[in-house]
Amino acid sequence: MGETTNRCSNQEWLDEVYEKILVKMKAECARVGTMIPYSPKEGRYHDLDGMGGIHNWTNGFWPGMLWQMYEATGDEAYRTAAEGVEERMDEIFTDLKGVDHDAGFLFLLSAVADYRKTGSEASLSRGLFAANLLAGRFNPIGNFIRAWGDGMTSFFGDGDVSGWMIVDCMMNIPLLYWASEVTKDPRFAHIAKKHAKTAQQYVVRGDGSCNHIVGINSQTGEFADNPGGQGFEKGSSWSRGQSWAVYGFALSYRHTGDESFLNTAKQCAHYCISNMAVNDWLPLVDYRAPEEPLKYDSTAGMITAAGLLEIAEHVGEYEKHLYTEAAFRILRACDEKFANWDPEEDSIIDGGTYFYHDPSGENTEVPIIYADYYLIESVLRLKGKSLFTW
């Protein structure tokens, strides 16, 4: 780590960054309001500029940031903007063909966060509608939640995607755990746990690395393939996928108490820690890719740090330091290299890469909204001011 990162203690750094977040987010909230941003262009967010329009899987992160800031500060401007975005997202329910497994990302951070904070009955209804849509994607032959619709063949090549599950869904299934909690209906949680068990079997490898995509024969339930996905190649180790596994399995432990999920989260965490430790605590796009060209993905770092902090809440006192210290090192390294704290410009964390092979270059090492969400969640958690959204 560089000189700048080492000049103050973790607590001093945390306090400084928290104050910067307060200034930055107040300015952003005033400018962005009920827009639904993805990545700024020339320092400014634009409405619905994600790849899927209103259905884009990242659309929950802005309201998620707003709810986190409302929890931390009580400033009604954040609540008002978050509620406005949530109402706009009702449009998603008018085109159910566009809904896929990312219903969790969309509605945990918007409607469910609203319900948890305010008790809104309308938000409860939205969250439960989304949970039913997600549960409806479960294939009992193979015990997995189908990831995408047929439209994704154009992104990853021709083929049958009816049996595809992806590691990202570990962060969507908390929507089902929540639905069981509020309805007292165990079926949602059963689906979530069965999916997580299948992911343990086929997504996570013995060394703690992960497949992004696993193909299962949707008629027989047998393993079919592990396509390359958004990493360098088949069998490589896409860093954001690793981060979803770290955080997602820790959350499944939180919701179920199944010790195997915590052990899987730790296994994946140790893999990430070892890879980032030899690279100045910065996340590459893929941990199993050529040294050149050097490509970073700051979003993987922010998500991994948040996942490490989740693990730290579930281990004994003599283990906690391993995970909290690693989280601090990742957050501080990414702050030093990627952060933009200018309140006149939108987005905090630059250096996000959507997928390894990006011929346009437009989604390589750019600011992406979910890096900011996980930074804010992590900093507020460390300050004892966060809203639990998962």
Side-chain angles (χ1 to χ4, degrees):
M1 293 167 66
E3 240 177 66
T4 307
T5 312
N6 277 327
R7 72 186 179 190
C8 62
S9 69
N10 283 340
Q11 187 60 51
E12 290 170 327
W13 174 86
L14 180 64
D15 292 341
E16 288 177 8
V17 167
Y18 175 66
E19 293 301 321
K20 290 177 183 178
I21 287 172
L22 293 179
V23 174
K24 182 87 172 188
M25 282 299 296
K26 189 173 184 63
E28 278 194 9
C29 181
R31 275 194 304 270
V32 179
T34 60
M35 290 198 299
I36 304 178
Y38 171 71
S39 180
K41 303 294 186 292
E42 298 180 352
R44 283 289 183 268
Y45 279 135
H46 300 277
D47 193 31
L48 289 176
D49 61 342
M51 286 176 279
I54 193 66
H55 287 88
N56 192 45
W57 71 274
T58 66
N59 288 351
F61 288 108
W62 175 243
M65 290 160 63
L66 296 170
W67 282 116
Q68 292 292 355
M69 295 306 298
Y70 181 61
E71 173 73 7
T73 69
D75 187 334
E76 289 294 326
Y78 293 120
R79 174 176 175 169
T80 299
E83 290 173 338
V85 174
E86 183 182 338
E87 290 174 6
R88 290 188 65 196
M89 290 172 65
D90 282 346
E91 185 183 339
I92 293 170
F93 297 134
T94 67
D95 177 15
L96 297 185
K97 290 185 295 183
V99 178
D100 57 23
H101 72 135
D102 285 323
F105 280 124
L106 289 168
F107 292 99
L108 278 166
L109 301 177
S110 56
V112 175
D114 189 345
Y115 173 72
R116 281 181 161 138
K117 182 62 179 171
T118 73
S120 164
E121 288 295 319
S123 298
L124 173 64
S125 294
R126 290 182 179 108
L128 290 177
F129 190 11
N132 276 279
L133 292 172
L134 181 58
R137 302 187 69 79
F138 182 69
N139 186 335
I141 307 299
N143 288 324
F144 69 97
I145 293 171
R146 177 180 175 174
W148 299 303
D150 294 332
M152 290 305 291
T153 57
S154 61
F155 192 78
F156 289 110
D158 295 333
D160 177 15
V161 298
S162 65
W164 278 15
M165 62 179 292
I166 65 173
V167 64
D168 316 40
C169 197
M170 289 303 301
M171 293 297 293
N172 286 310
I173 59 175
L175 179 63
L176 301 179
Y177 293 128
W178 167 80
S180 275
E181 177 187 327
V182 296
T183 64
K184 310 303 181 189
D185 185 337
R187 293 176 297 170
F188 295 102
H190 290 332
I191 289 171
K193 188 169 182 178
K194 285 179 182 294
H195 177 90
K197 288 292 185 181
T198 303
Q200 273 185 315
Q201 183 177 1
Y202 294 126
V203 170
V204 182
R205 307 179 188 125
D207 64 352
S209 67
C210 296
N211 295 308
H212 174 200
I213 302 170
V214 168
I216 294 173
N217 186 310
S218 57
Q219 300 296 324
T220 68
E222 297 174 345
F223 173 83
D225 196 10
N226 59 320
Q230 288 171 244
F232 175 67
E233 65 181 358
K234 178 177 180 176
S236 66
S237 181
W238 177 50
S239 60
R240 183 148 42 92
Q242 294 295 143
S243 69
W244 297 139
V246 172
Y247 203 169
F249 279 105
L251 288 168
S252 274
Y253 171 72
R254 174 192 280 265
H255 288 292
T256 68
D258 185 327
E259 197 79 24
S260 75
F261 291 146
L262 181 59
N263 289 334
T264 297
K266 291 160 89 172
Q267 182 186 13
C268 296
H270 298 165
Y271 180 88
C272 291
I273 289 169
S274 62
N275 276 280
M276 280 189 268
V278 297
N279 194 50
D280 296 324
W281 296 96
L282 296 170
L284 302 175
V285 178
D286 195 309
Y287 297 130
R288 234 176 244 167
E291 291 184 11
E292 298 293 337
L294 185 65
K295 294 185 180 183
Y296 292 109
D297 180 14
S298 59
T299 73
M302 297 300 95
I303 301 160
T304 300
L308 294 173
L309 295 176
E310 176 68 24
I311 293 173
E313 291 198 15
H314 306 299
V315 298
E317 63 174 308
Y318 303 120
E319 271 191 276
K320 286 182 186 295
H321 179 73
L322 167 65
Y323 300 105
T324 55
E325 179 61 24
F328 265 117
R329 292 195 179 209
I330 295 165
L331 291 167
R332 295 183 66 168
C334 288
D335 171 32
E336 183 175 343
K337 185 171 180 63
F338 300 117
N340 172 11
W341 292 109
D342 184 350
E344 298 304 312
E345 296 185 7
D346 291 331
S347 184
I348 302 170
I349 299 294
D350 205 335
T353 299
Y354 192 64
F355 57 103
Y356 189 95
H357 298 289
D358 175 19
S360 72
E362 294 180 1
N363 293 289
T364 298
E365 295 190 8
V366 296
I368 303 178
I369 190 75
Y370 42 90
D372 287 10
Y373 172 80
Y374 287 101
L375 169 68
I376 289 170
E377 182 192 281
S378 296
V379 169
L380 294 186
R381 186 193 288 238
L382 286 164
K383 293 283 290 183
K385 296 176 179 288
S386 65
L387 174 68
F388 180 72
T389 56
W390 304 103

